[in-house]
Amino acid sequence: MFGYIIPDQQAMTPEARDRYRTAYCGLCRRAAALHGMAGRMTLSYDLTFLNLLLSSLYEGETPAVAETGRCPVHPIRPIHWRYSGPTDYCADIGLALHYYSAKDKWEDDRSPLGLGYMKLLDQRRRDAEARWPRACQAITTGLAQLAAYEADGCEDLDLVSGSFGGLMAELFDYKQDRWSGELRTIGYSIGKYIYLLDAWDDLERDKRKGSYNPLRSLSAEPDYENQMREIFELLLAQAAAAFRRLPCVEDADLLENILYSGIWLKYNVKNSRKQPR
């Protein structure tokens, strides 16, 4: 369930693309500093969005660092990056999420790759949990609840997607302060969107494999695609409305690009492939 909260690069100015890249590289830099090469492997667009959001909201509360240097992944030319206090939090949370994703693959499919990745991240995950016990506990609790619903074949979309939404709400609630309500709404709505979009995308494959998918019964209804579009629109409208209540100034254009356009890209591409020609 990674890679849905992406920027719309084509709608960005060159300057905006550069600023997004520096935030992406800043998260990568801090993930490597905290967790070595294993940390770089957990880099995602989703946590880059959270990094941008929290760094903008809490701008000035921690020192902002901007540096230039060489990158082992892109060694040809110097790379610019920037980060602030929330970046380390996002790097830790990203690693914990990848660890439990690998654990899920191992427990569900006995995937050797999942087992190897899980072992690679295990000690680093323990370090992240020591720094952020509440957030990491929310990951384990949310995923356990989700697994129980899936094992029961639950098709109540609010319940099953709400498990992942609740998990994301906890992760977005960085400081549990006056902005908790808005941050939790953004995280909850985006979390439900990610879960349902992933299920929508996997539906045909899950049918062929006989695997669980909460949309199986709903997909038999004649207006299924319209219903899904309406659900997605409602969830993202809720996230956008909560975002507009936050006093974000720095990188507000990048955040708006992602929330209003980028987050729709994968749905639009995959939906166009479903349309009759």
Side-chain angles (χ1 to χ4, degrees):
M1 295 180 191
F2 299 104
Y4 288 112
I5 314 177
I6 60 177
D8 184 352
Q9 300 275 0
Q10 292 186 343
M12 286 179 170
T13 65
E15 184 270 340
R17 286 195 292 271
D18 287 344
R19 280 189 290 113
Y20 183 85
R21 173 59 62 179
T22 61
Y24 184 84
C25 291
L27 179 58
C28 180
R29 191 79 176 179
R30 292 309 302 159
L34 292 168
H35 303 297
M37 186 54 69
R40 291 188 189 274
M41 295 171 64
T42 65
L43 186 64
S44 72
Y45 290 116
D46 310 79
L47 271 298
T48 302
F49 169 78
L50 183 58
N51 177 38
L52 282 166
L53 177 64
L54 296 179
S55 295
S56 178
L57 180 60
Y58 296 108
E59 179 186 2
E61 294 190 12
T62 56
V65 179
E67 297 177 339
T68 300
R70 296 289 176 176
C71 169
V73 181
H74 305 284
I76 296 177
R77 60 185 178 83
I79 299 295
H80 305 286
W81 62 81
R82 61 191 169 107
Y83 57 87
S84 62
T87 308
D88 282 10
Y89 170 75
C90 294
D92 278 341
I93 294 307
L95 186 130
L97 284 168
H98 276 80
Y99 170 84
Y100 285 106
S101 176
K103 183 180 181 182
D104 185 60
K105 288 185 174 64
W106 166 245
E107 292 177 346
D108 286 353
D109 306 324
R110 282 299 185 258
S111 164
L113 287 176
L115 178 62
Y117 195 34
M118 184 177 70
K119 289 184 174 181
L120 175 66
L121 300 180
D122 186 50
Q123 182 55 53
R124 305 295 187 176
R125 182 265 308 176
R126 295 173 191 270
D127 295 340
E129 288 182 348
R131 285 189 285 268
W132 308 103
R134 178 190 63 84
C136 290
Q137 181 60 51
I139 295 174
T140 58
T141 301
L143 292 180
Q145 183 182 60
L146 184 59
Y149 284 139
E150 291 179 347
D152 289 341
C154 178
E155 292 190 347
D156 184 321
L157 299 187
D158 278 337
L159 278 180
V160 69
S161 67
S163 296
F164 196 70
L167 183 163
M168 291 289 281
E170 291 290 342
L171 299 187
F172 272 61
D173 192 3
Y174 173 51
K175 288 192 172 185
Q176 297 186 296
D177 59 9
R178 60 181 294 197
W179 304 117
S180 288
E182 286 75 18
L183 289 172
R184 293 182 71 87
T185 296
I186 296 170
Y188 185 72
S189 301
I190 287 179
K192 292 184 73 173
Y193 172 80
I194 290 173
Y195 183 85
L196 292 174
L197 183 60
D198 194 58
W200 174 82
D201 186 28
D202 289 345
L203 180 62
E204 294 308 316
R205 186 193 67 184
D206 289 340
K207 284 181 176 179
R208 289 194 302 270
K209 294 174 64 178
S211 301
Y212 165 81
N213 191 298
L215 303 177
R216 186 181 295 272
S217 295
L218 182 63
S219 66
E221 298 185 11
D223 61 344
Y224 161 67
E225 291 294 348
N226 288 334
Q227 288 191 59
M228 292 307 301
R229 175 79 190 197
E230 289 176 0
I231 290 171
F232 295 150
E233 288 177 344
L234 176 61
L235 291 172
L236 295 184
Q238 290 171 346
F243 169 72
R244 288 193 293 271
R245 294 193 293 270
L246 295 176
C248 293
V249 177
E250 182 182 47
D251 294 324
D253 59 329
L254 301 182
L255 293 163
E256 290 169 354
N257 170 283
I258 295 167
L259 278 174
Y260 301 152
S261 180
I263 203 168
W264 280 105
L265 287 178
K266 291 199 172 182
Y267 170 82
N268 289 335
V269 169
K270 295 177 186 299
N271 190 51
S272 67
R273 292 173 182 166
K274 294 184 176 186
Q275 301 304 315
R277 297 184 183 278

